[in-house]
């Protein structure tokens, strides 16, 4: 697949990230099919996607499908997998039943477990570090909050390297207004993003304040220790901050902005991706003999809130800190 050959994209999961990427690729002239479900799919078909980009609002009419069985597959089709990590296995089972095994699958997802799962079914897997302030709180609507670039989506092959698909997808993303470059060490960047995302559960569960900030520090400190003990390559925090720069600022509609985990609790979806964020650190800690009490507590707490259908940001982080060794 060469860089100059037209591509067709199938976006599986068109919430905040997948919906925003699909819509802007469509507006850039690329052929995109949006795979959605439920009320979101019904709204997309009846009314189109209500897309807010910064201060601008418009309706984008996307080609839709209720699942991979409804997609017309071609040898130049690329899958953009943008479901939450806890939904990957179900999405993969459906994809594997209908998509040709040579189809490239691009993981537009938080966490670092999705690429390995996809590799069990598809041989061409690509990892994207998603830095994209976006929200999806109502069926048929996506908000992209940045007045700068709508998102920063660097891509690379999994487990390492860069190929023509990476080059071409990055070029298509740039044509849609995103910042995107191919990176042979994409997973090292995704592990740095994992450390950032360890605070998502705190953002979802706890009220803002010094106690919440301290709990975020603790989960990230544990994460740094665990990844070091596991020998996992991670780009430096300085390199990550330099890459972000001011590309995604300033933000608008801040009252609707929040982490992906906060959005799941706010929408009362019943599940969250915390097992693939804090839970990833817990898993690696257990494998490598590193204690991770703060991440374990956040994982258990946020999963409980999701099961109970609790509202977001109800807890006082000080109560959680009091349950941690040395913090009470």
């Amino acid at each position: 697949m060469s860089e100059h050959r037209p591509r067709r994209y199938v976006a599986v999961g068109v919430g905040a990230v997948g919906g925003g990427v699909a819509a802007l690729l469509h507006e850039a002239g690329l052929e995109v099919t949006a795979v959605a479900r439920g009320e979101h799919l019904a709204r997309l078909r009846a009314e189109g996607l209500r897309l807010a980009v910064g201060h601008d609002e418009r309706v984008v009419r996307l080609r839709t499908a209720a699942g991979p069985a409804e997609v017309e597959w071609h040898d130049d089709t690329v899958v953009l997998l943008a479901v939450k990590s806890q939904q990957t296995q179900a999405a993969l089972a459906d994809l594997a039943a209908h998509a040709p095994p040579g189809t490239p699958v691009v993981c537009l997802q938080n966490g670092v477990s999705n690429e390995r799962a996809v590799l069990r079914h598809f041989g061409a897997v690509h990892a994207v570090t998603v830095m994209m302030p976006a929200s999806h709180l109502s069926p048929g609507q996506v908000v992209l909050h940045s007045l700068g670039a709508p998102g920063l989506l660097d891509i690379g092959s999994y487990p390492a390297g860069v190929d023509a698909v990476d080059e071409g997808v990055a070029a298509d993303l740039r044509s849609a207004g995103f910042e995107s470059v191919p990176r042979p060490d994409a997973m090292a960047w995704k592990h740095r993003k994992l450390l950032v995302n360890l605070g998502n559960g705190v953002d979802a569960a706890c009220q803002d304040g010094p106690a919440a900030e301290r709990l975020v520090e603790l989960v990230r400190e544990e994460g740094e220790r665990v990844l070091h003990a596991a020998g996992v390559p991670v780009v430096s925090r300085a390199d990550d901050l330099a890459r972000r720069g001011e590309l995604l600022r300033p933000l608008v509609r801040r009252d609707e902005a929040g982490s992906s985990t906060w959005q799941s609790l706010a929408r009362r979806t019943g599940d969250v991706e915390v097992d693939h964020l804090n839970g990833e650190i817990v898993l690696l800690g257990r494998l490598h003999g590193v204690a991770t009490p703060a991440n374990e507590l956040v994982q258990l707490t946020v999963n409980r809130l999701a099961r109970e259908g609790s509202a977001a940001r109800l807890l006082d982080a000080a109560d959680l800190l009091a349950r941690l060794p040395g913090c009470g």
Side-chain angles (χ1 to χ4, degrees), residues 236-274:
S236 70
R237 185 170 180 272
D239 284 346
D240 177 64
L241 291 174
R243 177 63 178 127
R244 293 168 186 260
E246 297 297 315
L247 291 172
L248 304 178
R249 297 178 184 278
L251 301 183
V252 297
R253 298 174 67 159
R254 296 295 294 266
D255 59 321
E256 301 173 59
S259 71
S260 56
T261 309
W262 170 80
Q263 292 179 50
S264 293
L265 280 190
R267 292 169 54 211
R268 290 180 165 85
T269 61
D271 60 19
V272 285
E273 61 186 344
V274 68

Side-chain angles (χ1 to χ4, degrees), residues 188-207:
W189 288 85
K190 290 203 74 165
H191 277 90
R192 173 54 59 184
K193 179 70 187 315
L194 171 65
L195 292 171
V196 174
N197 287 146
L198 295 179
N200 286 13
V202 181
D203 170 65
C206 300
Q207 302 160 13

